[in-house]
Amino acid sequence: MVELTADDLGIICNALYVQLGEKKHNDTFMQLYSDMMMARDLCRYGHVDDFCLHNIVKCRSGLRGVLLDDDIEIFNKYLEDNDLPTAFGNSDFVRIYKRIVGDSQDSDMRQLLGH
């Protein structure tokens, strides 16, 4: 087991950010970077805010089969309002959010991936 502090996670995220330009087409890298951003914010602040979610969407939208262009547009529109409680009350937002965080139980995701 490895234990990381919020500062450790911040350093890792900064190191990954430096590599972003040359690795942006590497699905494994983008998945790792977005996971680390989420872990960093959860560790530092106890939640993931709309700014972090927006950056995670940017990372994961390039992953094959995660989000459609329309989904990215819908998701970002909700984030612009800066009201996550209202956004999570909307089924479209929740469906897209489940795709972003890798909830494979989502039937739309299974259809998209052909399962």
Side-chain angles (χ1 to χ4, degrees):
M1 177 182 286
V2 175
E3 291 186 27
L4 300 171
T5 67
D7 289 338
D8 295 335
L9 291 168
I11 291 167
I12 292 169
C13 283
N14 289 341
L16 293 172
Y17 178 77
V18 170
Q19 296 293 311
L20 188 59
E22 70 181 63
K23 302 277 189 184
K24 65 183 175 186
H25 299 293
N26 181 316
D27 284 357
T28 303
F29 175 86
M30 296 305 283
Q31 181 70 45
L32 174 65
Y33 182 44
S34 60
D35 287 346
M36 294 306 293
M37 283 191 290
M38 190 178 310
R40 178 202 58 208
D41 278 21
L42 287 172
C43 186
R44 274 192 184 157
Y45 312 117
H47 68 278
V48 177
D49 65 12
D50 59 333
F51 179 76
C52 184
L53 275 176
H54 176 74
N55 288 325
I56 291 168
V57 168
K58 283 180 11 182
C59 280
R60 293 188 179 184
S61 65
L63 300 176
R64 287 181 275 281
V66 174
L67 293 176
L68 305 172
D69 289 341
D70 289 345
D71 289 340
I72 295 168
E73 185 177 326
I74 290 168
F75 192 82
N76 285 332
K77 182 164 176 37
Y78 281 107
L79 291 181
E80 288 171 5
D81 293 338
N82 200 23
D83 185 5
L84 290 179
T86 300
F88 276 105
N90 182 286
S91 61
D92 285 338
F93 183 88
V94 171
R95 176 183 52 80
I96 297 166
Y97 177 79
K98 285 181 177 183
R99 285 184 184 165
I100 292 168
V101 298
D103 183 351
S104 61
Q105 300 303 312
D106 184 8
S107 61
D108 289 338
M109 179 63 134
R110 286 192 304 250
Q111 287 177 342
L112 182 67
L113 296 175
H115 292 85

